[in-house]
């Protein structure tokens, strides 16, 4: 397929690389032109200095940018230049509202918009093992699914526009609680004078096991946080969650608490630390 990919950061860059490796003609765009040039040179692909030029005549326009405002700006600029019937796939984590708005805007122009946030982090993007939760027209998703599978291990259609973003919110709610529990468990083990490696060996094979435990226990116990999914990003996501909960009446006591705990981590200078850094605020 003829594809454009907007947003070549730590997630988008490797995702777009997998598309090139799969044989697609990909034009990259990034707000910082030098980054787009470097990505294109490293991957034998094309790049464009503007969204409009990247979008010209493409069948599939993918974006992975920062927030709601970025998505609105990129989609609005791209739409008039896309091929008739083109599909936009947005991997940005946004509000469900912007997903619905962009789907309606795309439909008015004879094109389709799929909200498709991902789980798996930078490692998942690098390894082509992302999990995609998608909202929007099922037929449009089916047309582009073979391309999106270039960097994914699973794609699940969740329902109409916005359903992908709502599912990603569920994902972040679950992660927030697990990471807080992990932080407290490690803190307790260390306060009790236990060998944390031995504790991990003892509890990770039972009901306490989780992805966070398997991938973050040892680094968190060692106070290593300079990697992974940043606290700033998690706070953005939890802000979307809490806004949606206020609108739909869901009671998210734990999520609100953990969001406040992440604010404490930010105050300690941990804006770019991994989300497992919740442990830091427990240490006197």
């Amino acid at each position: 397929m003829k594809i454009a990919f907007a947003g070549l950061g730590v997630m988008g860059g490797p995702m777009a690389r997998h598309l090139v490796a799969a044989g697609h003609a990909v034009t990259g765009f990034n707000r910082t032109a030098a980054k787009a040039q470097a990505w294109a040179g490293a991957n034998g692909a094309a790049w464009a200095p503007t969204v409009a030029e990247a979008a010209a005549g493409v069948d599939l326009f993918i974006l992975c940018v920062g927030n709601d405002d970025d998505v609105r700006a990129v989609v609005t600029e791209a739409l008039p230049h896309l091929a008739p019937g083109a599909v936009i796939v947005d991997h940005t984590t946004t509000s469900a509202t912007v997903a619905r708005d962009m789907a309606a805007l795309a439909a008015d122009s004879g094109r389709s918009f799929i909200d498709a946030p991902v789980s798996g982090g930078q490692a998942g993007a690098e390894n082509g093992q992302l999990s995609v939760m998608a909202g929007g027209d099922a037929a449009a998703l089916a047309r582009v699914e073979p391309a999106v599978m270039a960097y994914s291990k699973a794609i699940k259609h969740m329902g109409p526009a916005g359903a992908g973003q709502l599912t990603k919110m569920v994902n972040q709610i679950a992660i927030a609680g697990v990471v807080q529990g992990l932080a407290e468990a490690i803190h307790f083990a260390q306060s009790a004078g236990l060998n944390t490696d031995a504790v991990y060996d003892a509890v990770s094979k039972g009901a306490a096991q989780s992805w966070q435990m398997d991938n973050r226990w040892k680094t968190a116990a060692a106070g290593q946080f300079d990697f992974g999914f940043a606290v700033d990003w998690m706070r953005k996501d939890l802000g979307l969650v809490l806004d949606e909960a206020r609108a739909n009446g869901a009671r998210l006591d734990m999520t609100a608490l953990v969001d406040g705990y992440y604010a404490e981590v930010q105050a300690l200078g941990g804006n770019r630390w991994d989300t497992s850094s919740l442990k830091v605020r427990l240490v006197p």
Side-chain angles (χ1 to χ4, degrees):
M1 298 185 75
K2 187 178 180 183
I3 300 172
F5 201 111
L8 301 170
V10 296
M11 296 292 290
M15 293 159 76
R17 184 189 74 232
H18 285 296
L19 288 167
V20 175
H24 299 288
V26 182
T27 299
F29 167 80
N30 200 79
R31 186 166 45 191
T32 304
K35 183 175 286 187
Q37 280 184 288
W39 174 86
N43 294 285
W47 73 281
T50 67
V51 170
E53 290 173 82
V58 305
D59 308 298
L60 172 57
F61 187 91
I62 305 174
L63 61 156
C64 188
V65 291
N67 55 38
D68 282 27
D69 290 342
D70 296 329
V71 170
R72 289 185 188 277
V74 170
V75 171
T76 301
E77 183 177 350
L79 265 175
H81 306 280
L82 299 173
V87 179
I88 301 170
V89 173
D90 179 26
H91 292 306
T92 314
T93 297
T94 69
S95 68
T97 298
V98 79
R100 297 183 188 111
D101 289 349
M102 294 302 96
L105 189 66
D108 287 344
S109 74
R111 296 160 176 110
S112 300
F113 178 93
I114 304 295
D115 54 293
V118 300
S119 182
Q122 184 176 349
E126 293 282 356
N127 298 322
Q129 293 290 300
L130 293 169
S131 294
V132 181
M133 43 216 97
D137 182 70
L141 176 63
R143 292 204 307 274
V144 300
E145 185 169 336
V148 177
M149 281 303 299
Y151 46 82
S152 309
K153 66 178 180 180
I155 301 172
K156 179 69 175 177
H157 183 248
M158 300 306 303
Q165 295 298 346
L166 293 172
T167 305
K168 178 62 181 286
M169 293 178 197
V170 173
N171 186 77
Q172 301 305 74
I173 292 167
I175 288 175
V178 171
V179 176
Q180 176 62 19
L182 189 73
E184 293 186 12
I186 294 169
H187 174 60
F188 179 88
Q190 291 177 331
S191 298
L194 295 171
N195 180 306
T196 54
D197 286 346
V199 172
Y200 170 78
D201 291 340
V203 304
S204 64
K205 306 301 187 291
Q209 186 276 337
S210 68
W211 186 97
Q212 295 292 338
M213 177 174 284
D214 289 344
N215 290 273
R216 295 293 183 262
W217 178 281
K218 292 188 178 181
T219 49
Q224 298 170 359
F225 306 111
D226 191 20
F227 60 89
F229 191 71
V231 168
D232 280 351
W233 300 344
M234 188 59 155
R235 284 219 73 205
K236 184 206 85 168
D237 290 1
L238 294 182
L240 294 170
V241 168
L242 294 170
D243 284 347
E244 188 69 32
R246 280 187 283 272
N248 68 21
R251 178 174 172 176
L252 303 181
D253 299 340
M254 176 275 299
T255 305
L257 280 172
V258 175
D259 181 58
Y261 297 158
Y262 277 124
E264 294 181 34
V265 175
Q266 287 175 319
L268 294 170
N271 302 65
R272 305 298 295 181
W273 292 346
D274 181 71
T275 50
S276 58
S277 58
L278 280 172
K279 174 178 172 290
V280 172
R281 57 170 292 279
L282 300 173
V283 180

